[in-house]
Amino acid sequence: MNSASLLLIVFAIALAGWFLGRRRALAMAGGDARRLHSLSGHHGQAVFLFAAVPALLVMFVWLFVQPIVTEARIGDAIRANGLFRQISPSLVMSDVRRVAHGLDLMVDRGQIDEKGLAALGADGSELRARLGRVGVAVGGNVGGDVLAAARTLRRDNHRGAVGMAVAVVAVALAGLVWSLSRISVEFRARNVSENFVLTLFFGASLVAVLTTIGIVGSLLFETVHFFRIYPARDFFFSFTWSPQFRGGSDLGIWPLLWGTLYVSLVALILAVPVGLMSAIYLSEYASKPLRAVVKPLLEILAGIPTVVYGLFALMTVGPFLRDMIAEPMGLGSSSSSVMTGGLVMGIMLIPFVSSLSDDIIHAVPQGLRDGSFGLGATQSETVRQVILPAALPGIVGAILLAASRAIGETMIVVMGVGAAARMGLNPFEAMTTITVKIVSQLTGDTEFASPETLVAFALAMALFVFTLGLNVVALVVVRKYREQYE
Amino acid sequence: MSDATGLKIAARDVDVFYGDHHAIKDVSVAIADRTVTAFIGPSGCGKSTFLRCLNRMNDTIDVCRVSGTIELDGEDIYDRRVDPVQLRARVGMVFQKPNPFPKSIFDNVAYGPRIHGLTRSRGELDEVVENALRRAALWDEVKDRLSAPGTGLSGGQQQRLCIARAVATAPEVLLMDEPCSALDPIATAQIEELIDELRGNFSVVIVTHSMQQAARVSQRTAFFHLGDLVEFGETGQIFTNPQDPRTESYITGRIG
Amino acid sequence: MTDIAGVRPPRLLTRDARTRRRNAAEFRFRLYGRVAVCIGVAALIVLLASVVANGVGAFRQTFLTLDLSLDAAELDPSGARDVAAMKKVTTIGYGRFLTRQLKAAIAERGIRIEGITDSDIAGMISKAAPAQVRDRVLADPGLIGRTVAFRLLANGRIDGYLKGRVTMKSARLDGNVSPAQLRLSDALRKDGMLAMAFNWGFITSADASELRPEAAGLGVAILGSAYMMIIVLFLALPIGVASSIYLEEFAPTNRWTDLIEVNISNLAAVPSIVFGILGLAIFINFAGLPQSAPIVGGLVLTLMTLPTIIIATRAALKSVPPSIRDAALGVGASKMQAIMHHVVPLAMPGVLTGAIIGLAQALGETAPLLLIGMVAFVRDFPAPPPEGFLDPATALPVQVYNFTQRADPAFAERASGAIIVLMVFLLAMNLVAILLRRRFERRW
């Protein structure tokens, strides 16, 4: 039985509970709903919730925990077996998983029955070929241990699925019966079901917290793991980045950090003046119709996915800069460069800076403008000497937020800046950033226990801490600023 | 500059429209030099709107249209060649709500002289700022903390700072739009005293809700009602012997 | 006392030098503003124009119309019209068959090209064409023995020639296409056999390998994105709305609530790639969900969009005036009833707008999906949900990235074309959001 049909069964039970609860409540009141403390609908709702929610919770936890338990058991068996000392257990585990999946497919397609499966020997290439026929590719011939482990895995999975179905249906029915038995004329079904719903709402608000915990936890866990096999000193103080397949990698963060900051700087140099000036122009000078046209246009720029900007960098801006500036001036011949990525990222940030600045400029009270005009200041003097200083903290906050966006941006730099870890000054050279390296170290076939892969988590940790710091400072600054004019 | 009793601003047949709303209807007023002129009338009668016409502050509102002529020393301020910036340097304004800039007290007062380039040296600027603060009767309270932010002062002090700021630009006319409405009685008394003193150098036009205030500080009073200028004359005469029944109703508290 | 009034000329109608200077500064400042706005708008126009110019070609494709006499001896050697037996003839056999037929058709039309070889002729047709014919024949064995008109995909280079990407000059330097082939395609074009047509395959078929860009389509990517959007909608919307209701209406003001709020606003600014790391570490490595599966992508995007939806929903709830709550409480409704019956329905347009904006953001997101393996090459369509949620798939934006990573320049056109498709979806979503706002906007 798969999870989807189990889900349907639980809902059917809960729905039945809803009708039964209503009926029972009405029957107890002798058909006169006015005698009930709560409406009959509330009684139905309470039964529905008690039948559905605990059962779903059990199902969710089961689905999450079962693979961990079974795989841990099999993993222990694998580790206990001396044969696998040379290969990492996780590789063997994935083989086991694949074989088990293939066996499932073979059974599903009727190519073999359970009896035949039990008789199946690990006679090397034959099983591999049969697996291949159902679309499961196995790296080598399937050994006897792997096959045994795969059989265990299948059996455990199967038992788990049955166990889960039984447990979930039992919990649903128990909830149904128990909550039905609670129904009486005085039963405060409305309060009970409302409190239940409120608890669910509270639970929902915890998802965001759990996400943060998940992020910090997984980053921290793998980063510690990384520093156990790679010295932290080299990571933080080395100026070279050269991962090797056969160990002996140099994994210094500085070239990546340099590239990240350089690209972000170029982006901000474009985005801050342009974004700020267009916000000023649109809020202080532009006529209403112009504003009504231009503002949404700039907002479109904000809604364009970053992969589009990346493609723009790759196909249009990069070649243009290379052919028009870099090559004629002898500055380089790469179309991926800090300049390419920086300019395109700057374009992406223009609407970000301008809409934040726009909000902030609007928060400056009209009285200050009047005061300045009343003294005979021109509009630009008012803007430069009264509005901007007044809005400065907010604008600084906006710039910090933009910087944090720039540092964390991935697709534009992956497609526009390049992958060469280098600490140069020439903006027409390809460099690389933290985010590019996170992507390149974690995509493709990677071995999970090597420092070359785990370094991505340390890089992500650095990125997270960096952007979090910027965000917190920016939010505090902006909040302070808002309070000033409240 | 014209003599003490001469004409400073002459407004003739002024109409103001806010979009479709006819806010000021055919108003003519003559404002004398070195006197305090008060505009009184119930809320929404157009007195503030008219005041804002006198230094073209209404230009900042898109939907506002002004017709008729307003002359400052014989020059039409709505002439196409007139730069409102130059005009406002000569016709300063103080607003209802104190609006010090989020800068230091010194920078607040020095703002006008700086943008208009009125001083040549820092010493001169210091002198101008001190004079303006003295005239606004604020100097003794703030002389030790000129670099403190202007927004940190009390309401009455802030309004006097705004007056000092306007005075520092050395205008010929000072427009005041209900300058005391946000202040307590003591601060109001200080400001009123100040207005009386300023009369020696400027012509002051003050919009006020309070008839007592108009009677205390002004020499001439104009009464506005629903966009019309109902009556304009010597303050004493307006309050003791109004010619128009509407004026009488207002000052005796029957409309307003 | 310094009498500074005397310095100033009292005339209004003439402007003094300083005013002129100040006005010039004013003019310059205004000009900077105009320039800034123009830069922004110009960037948008250039961006969109470059995407459209590069990508519009992907929607038209060169096809070779060929009457194939489906010879029974060759395609069904057993003669039994038995599909299982017919499967013995592989695509290689069909390829040879197609080449021969094309050669015959060329000869029949009296087209003679100097220096053309058999492999040149074979290379006119896409490597995906034999499978195309084979699939159709296997689906309908009755076709065998008849002469049927087929519209076959032309090779990507030939397509490039018709679109102007490949020229005689570039063909001389290119090992994959010869000038003779281009001359042949000129002749076939004149004859009407070779022509461009709207390319439905680009939207419906699956991705194709490096060597056959002409057959690559977005079908799997669109389906994968759709699956993920379903997951995001069904998880992020209820969770987001529920937690917003709790935070906005019920949460006591204490440190814990404060912590949740700070946490949400920070989560909204966490780089998207970090969510990819989360997905990789928690959903794939820890919980053992399969790589490249829409369920993992959907979960990651759900967590990523949640803050957006929560922030929008809370703003919508906040904009419902307290008087509505008071009115409901005043007639004896419980707090939950007041909120669920009155506040939430009134806030619904704002909530839905926020949800659509969140979905649009999720639809365009690429970086986290790269980390959870959605960048893999996937040829097979995922099964229908819910099983399909666990099948490998890709997503539209990732497919764009994928196309750009391939050597053949024909894929560049496909990448831009995929972006056009993506942008059409985004535009449609935003239009719905705008319409919702217009239709239900309420002024209190």
Side-chain angles (χ1 to χ4, degrees):
Chain A
M1 187 188 307
N2 62 24
S3 322
S5 38
L6 192 56
L7 215 59
L8 280 180
I9 290 175
V10 170
F11 271 108
I13 293 175
L15 217 57
W18 190 69
F19 281 112
L20 288 175
R22 270 186 52 168
R23 268 239 319 262
R24 188 170 154 83
L26 273 177
M28 284 203 158
D32 183 2
R34 284 171 302 176
R35 288 182 53 218
L36 291 168
H37 167 271
S38 306
L39 292 176
S40 58
H42 287 128
H43 286 280
Q45 197 183 340
V47 178
F48 181 91
L49 288 170
F50 277 101
V53 176
L56 293 180
L57 217 59
V58 168
M59 184 168 157
F60 182 73
V61 172
W62 196 297
L63 280 176
F64 201 71
V65 171
Q66 191 204 323
I68 299 170
V69 173
T70 53
E71 299 207 357
R73 276 179 49 195
I74 293 166
D76 285 344
I78 292 171
R79 259 181 287 273
N81 193 323
L83 275 177
F84 295 112
R85 214 154 267 158
Q86 308 92 311
I87 323 169
S88 85
S90 68
L91 275 184
V92 179
M93 195 61 229
S94 76
D95 255 3
V96 170
R97 228 178 278 150
R98 222 173 292 160
V99 172
H101 179 62
L103 294 179
D104 277 342
L105 282 177
M106 282 159 69
V107 175
D108 281 353
R109 297 191 187 169
Q111 293 172 356
I112 197 168
D113 54 5
E114 291 292 335
K115 227 185 257 163
L117 205 61
L120 200 64
D123 43 358
S125 56
E126 207 235 296
L127 180 56
R128 187 183 174 191
R130 291 187 74 164
L131 286 172
R133 244 171 280 146
V134 289
V136 176
V138 186
N141 288 341
V142 181
D145 307 285
V146 172
L147 183 63
R151 279 209 189 99
T152 322
L153 182 65
R154 275 197 75 227
R155 198 196 58 214
D156 284 3
N157 279 349
H158 186 70
R159 279 187 193 159
V162 172
M164 178 174 82
V166 171
V168 167
V169 171
V171 170
L173 287 174
L176 175 88
V177 170
W178 182 70
S179 53
L180 274 178
S181 74
R182 284 214 297 176
I183 291 176
S184 68
V185 175
E186 300 84 36
F187 181 55
R188 297 168 165 262
R190 200 200 69 227
N191 308 42
V192 168
S193 66
E194 281 182 359
N195 282 335
F196 201 111
V197 171
L198 188 57
T199 315
L200 288 183
F201 284 2
F202 175 70
S205 75
L206 289 185
V207 172
V209 179
L210 288 178
T211 308
T212 308
I213 293 174
I215 289 175
V216 174
S218 55
L219 287 180
L220 214 56
F221 182 76
E222 302 287 359
T223 305
V224 168
H225 196 168
F226 169 68
F227 284 134
R228 235 180 254 143
I229 53 179
Y230 188 86
R233 203 163 42 90
D234 290 358
F235 178 71
F236 286 116
F237 299 108
S238 163
F239 289 90
T240 41
W241 172 273
S242 61
Q244 309 286 329
F245 283 116
R246 299 255 157 261
S249 304
D250 241 333
L251 301 171
I253 192 177
W254 280 102
L256 314 185
L257 196 59
W258 170 253
T260 304
L261 295 179
Y262 200 174
V263 174
S264 306
L265 185 73
V266 173
L268 290 177
I269 286 176
L270 172 66
V272 171
V274 172
L276 194 56
M277 278 313 290
S278 40
I280 290 170
Y281 187 79
L282 289 179
S283 62
E284 302 287 325
Y285 287 101
S287 63
K288 262 204 183 123
L290 182 72
R291 193 178 151 85
V293 173
V294 173
K295 239 191 139 195
L297 280 184
L298 288 183
E299 277 164 14
I300 292 180
L301 222 42
I304 292 176
T306 55
V307 69
V308 180
Y309 285 102
L311 191 78
F312 183 54
L314 186 76
M315 290 180 53
T316 310
V317 177
F320 177 82
L321 288 180
R322 181 192 57 202
D323 298 341
M324 294 295 150
I325 299 176
E327 279 191 335
M329 291 175 71
L331 288 172
S333 56
S334 163
S335 79
S336 312
S337 67
V338 169
M339 203 43 123
T340 305
L343 286 183
V344 173
M345 199 193 282
I347 294 173
M348 179 195 84
L349 292 176
I350 288 173
F352 191 73
V353 173
S354 83
S355 75
L356 279 174
S357 310
D358 196 50
D359 290 351
I360 287 155
I361 289 170
H362 267 274
V364 175
Q366 183 62 30
L368 290 185
R369 288 184 183 84
D370 283 349
S372 178
F373 291 142
L375 292 171
T378 64
Q379 209 153 0
S380 66
E381 284 160 352
T382 306
V383 169
R384 274 185 308 207
Q385 298 182 32
V386 177
I387 296 178
L388 285 187
L392 192 65
I395 289 171
V396 169
I399 293 172
L400 289 180
L401 282 179
S404 136
R405 280 279 287 261
I407 288 168
E409 174 48 44
T410 308
M411 291 321 290
I412 296 175
V413 288
V414 165
M415 293 161 86
V417 177
R422 178 188 292 149
M423 297 179 77
L425 279 172
N426 177 0
F428 291 97
E429 248 174 8
M431 289 186 203
T432 196
T433 69
I434 293 179
T435 49
V436 170
K437 285 303 163 196
I438 293 175
V439 170
S440 68
Q441 300 309 105
L442 284 181
T443 46
D445 282 327
T446 45
E447 161 128 42
F448 230 82
S450 71
E452 287 75 26
T453 303
L454 288 173
V455 69
F457 289 92
L459 290 175
M461 187 81 195
L463 184 70
F464 180 73
V465 169
F466 218 64
T467 52
L468 186 72
L470 281 175
N471 292 336
V472 169
V473 173
L475 287 175
V476 168
V477 168
V478 170
R479 195 181 274 192
K480 275 260 162 63
Y481 167 76
R482 291 251 159 80
E483 280 163 6
Q484 189 187 333
Y485 290 115
E486 223 121 74
Chain B
M1 223 179 272
S2 40
D3 61 273
T5 52
L7 188 65
K8 191 69 192 172
I9 294 178
R12 278 189 299 275
D13 309 328
V14 175
D15 284 89
V16 181
F17 296 87
Y18 275 106
D20 292 334
H21 174 59
H22 197 169
I24 294 288
K25 297 166 192 159
D26 195 26
V27 169
S28 302
V29 175
I31 289 164
D33 198 14
R34 303 189 191 204
T35 44
V36 177
T37 307
F39 290 174
I40 61 169
S43 309
C45 66
K47 54 194 192 300
S48 287
T49 304
F50 186 68
L51 187 78
R52 289 169 71 96
C53 292
L54 299 182
N55 71 343
R56 293 183 57 173
M57 276 301 282
N58 283 334
D59 288 14
T60 56
I61 300 162
D62 290 338
V63 293
C64 180
R65 280 183 299 117
V66 179
S67 67
T69 53
I70 301 175
E71 285 175 358
L72 175 68
D73 288 340
E75 289 175 314
D76 183 3
I77 65 168
Y78 278 91
D79 190 288
R80 227 167 25 84
R81 287 166 294 172
V82 171
D83 190 333
V85 165
Q86 231 171 324
L87 168 70
R88 288 180 202 142
R90 290 172 58 186
V91 184
M93 192 159 192
V94 174
F95 297 85
Q96 184 171 4
K97 223 180 126 204
N99 53 357
F101 302 136
K103 298 163 173 270
S104 71
I105 293 170
F106 182 89
D107 285 340
N108 259 286
V109 181
Y111 181 74
R114 274 184 181 144
I115 56 172
H116 295 296
L118 301 182
T119 55
R120 257 163 268 244
S121 65
R122 174 75 198 202
E124 221 175 308
L125 183 64
D126 286 347
E127 206 179 324
V128 168
V129 169
E130 183 180 336
N131 274 332
L133 284 170
R134 276 186 196 284
R135 281 184 135 179
L138 195 59
W139 175 252
D140 292 330
E141 291 161 61
V142 300
K143 65 178 177 220
D144 301 324
R145 45 174 178 144
L146 287 175
S147 55
T151 43
L153 297 173
S154 74
Q157 287 174 323
Q158 284 190 6
Q159 193 62 302
R160 277 181 283 152
L161 177 65
C162 291
I163 293 173
R165 194 173 68 185
V167 167
T169 318
E172 297 156 30
V173 180
L174 196 56
L175 308 177
M176 298 179 133
D177 189 359
E178 300 183 34
C180 302
S181 69
L183 304 180
D184 61 46
I186 295 170
T188 304
Q190 284 172 321
I191 303 273
E192 284 177 5
E193 221 171 287
L194 190 56
I195 292 170
D196 200 44
E197 239 170 74
L198 292 175
R199 181 159 63 101
N201 295 72
F202 313 111
S203 118
V204 176
V205 184
I206 179 169
V207 163
T208 175
H209 250 115
S210 145
M211 282 170 290
Q212 289 87 341
Q213 189 172 56
R216 282 194 298 266
V217 300
S218 72
Q219 286 77 51
R220 295 172 72 87
T221 297
F223 172 62
F224 285 81
H225 185 62
L226 298 175
D228 289 312
L229 175 64
V230 176
E231 198 166 348
F232 180 46
E234 295 294 324
T235 301
Q237 179 250 316
I238 293 271
F239 279 93
T240 54
N241 186 17
Q243 303 296 304
D244 194 286
R246 285 173 291 175
T247 319
E248 192 179 357
S249 305
Y250 182 66
I251 58 180
T252 52
R254 268 174 299 195
I255 54 173
Chain C
M1 201 195 279
T2 326
D3 187 12
I4 46 183
V7 182
R8 197 171 46 222
R11 304 299 300 174
L12 266 182
L13 295 178
T14 50
R15 291 182 191 178
D16 57 74
R18 187 177 172 81
T19 308
R20 277 200 298 275
R21 220 164 42 238
R22 285 169 65 197
N23 282 340
E26 171 74 21
F27 177 78
R28 279 198 305 275
F29 190 75
R30 200 182 280 238
L31 189 70
Y32 298 150
R34 283 215 186 101
V35 169
V37 169
C38 288
I39 290 177
V41 174
L44 175 71
I45 292 169
V46 172
L47 175 73
L48 293 181
S50 99
V51 167
V52 171
N54 285 326
V56 81
F59 294 93
R60 302 196 33 93
Q61 194 69 38
T62 308
F63 290 97
L64 195 70
T65 316
L66 199 55
D67 288 326
L68 296 178
S69 51
L70 299 167
D71 181 15
E74 192 166 354
L75 302 182
D76 185 16
S78 68
R81 301 288 182 274
D82 172 29
V83 175
M86 282 163 66
K87 274 189 178 163
K88 292 224 166 66
V89 183
T90 60
T91 49
I92 299 169
Y94 275 85
R96 277 197 294 266
F97 164 72
L98 281 180
T99 311
R100 223 172 14 256
Q101 296 261 338
L102 179 59
K103 213 172 146 189
I106 292 169
E108 189 185 307
R109 283 168 169 75
I111 297 168
R112 291 180 63 86
I113 306 292
E114 207 172 309
I116 198 150
T117 62
D118 275 9
S119 71
D120 277 350
I121 291 177
M124 295 295 289
I125 313 173
S126 163
K127 291 188 176 64
Q132 191 190 341
V133 176
R134 184 170 179 261
D135 289 347
R136 190 151 154 214
V137 169
L138 290 181
D140 183 8
L143 291 175
I144 286 192
R146 308 225 307 261
T147 300
V148 185
F150 274 83
R151 217 173 62 152
L152 305 172
L153 278 169
N155 185 303
R157 294 294 150 103
I158 305 298
D159 179 55
Y161 179 60
L162 265 69
K163 285 173 181 163
R165 192 171 54 233
V166 176
T167 59
M168 284 290 176
K169 208 170 125 203
S170 75
R172 267 180 218 113
L173 306 169
D174 187 347
N176 290 320
V177 65
S178 70
Q181 281 179 309
L182 299 188
R183 281 196 295 275
L184 175 59
S185 47
D186 279 337
L188 291 176
R189 212 171 152 196
K190 210 175 284 162
D191 188 72
M193 270 175 81
L194 199 64
M196 299 239 270
F198 189 81
N199 184 12
W200 283 110
F202 180 58
I203 295 164
T204 54
S205 15
D207 194 7
S209 69
E210 281 269 4
L211 294 173
R212 44 191 87 163
E214 63 278 1
L218 300 172
V220 175
I222 291 175
L223 205 59
S225 277
Y227 282 10
M228 287 193 284
M229 289 307 106
I230 291 173
I231 295 169
V232 173
L233 188 64
F234 276 87
L235 287 178
L237 189 60
I239 296 178
V241 171
S243 65
S244 310
I245 292 175
Y246 177 75
L247 290 173
E248 195 59 42
E249 307 284 348
F250 290 101
T253 39
N254 57 23
R255 295 188 126 197
W256 175 241
T257 312
D258 235 28
L259 183 81
I260 297 181
E261 290 189 7
V262 170
N263 175 44
I264 287 171
S265 50
N266 278 323
L267 216 48
V270 167
S272 61
I273 193 163
V274 173
F275 285 93
I277 297 255
L278 173 78
L280 180 66
I282 304 275
F283 297 131
I284 293 178
N285 283 353
F286 187 64
L289 288 168
Q291 284 217 340
S292 314
I295 181 98
V296 180
L299 287 172
V300 167
L301 294 178
T302 297
L303 297 182
M304 212 190 76
T305 15
L306 210 48
T308 312
I309 293 183
I310 293 178
I311 290 168
T313 306
R314 291 190 63 180
L317 290 174
K318 215 175 265 172
S319 73
V320 178
S323 58
I324 301 279
R325 294 174 185 81
D326 294 344
L329 294 177
V331 295
S334 68
K335 194 168 179 189
M336 182 68 84
Q337 285 171 324
I339 287 159
M340 297 310 276
H341 296 172
H342 300 283
V343 179
V344 172
L346 288 173
M348 219 50 204
V351 173
L352 290 181
T353 313
I356 292 173
I357 290 169
L359 271 185
Q361 186 193 341
L363 180 62
E365 195 53 69
T366 322
L369 301 183
L370 296 183
L371 298 193
I372 56 167
M374 301 218 58
V375 72
F377 176 74
V378 181
R379 276 233 50 177
D380 299 318
F381 282 86
E387 285 83 15
F389 287 149
L390 292 165
D391 288 347
T394 72
L396 257 181
V398 181
Q399 192 69 59
V400 172
Y401 172 70
N402 226 333
F403 282 155
T404 63
Q405 298 301 300
R406 299 185 189 166
D408 194 320
F411 280 112
E413 174 192 273
R414 303 260 149 184
S416 294
I419 281 185
I420 294 177
V421 174
L422 178 64
M423 301 279 269
V424 166
F425 280 120
L426 288 177
L427 197 69
M429 289 166 88
N430 280 305
L431 272 182
V432 171
I434 290 169
L435 287 180
L436 268 179
R437 214 163 16 188
R438 285 262 164 85
R439 174 91 177 67
F440 295 105
E441 196 169 49
R442 212 180 295 257
R443 297 222 171 265
W444 300 102

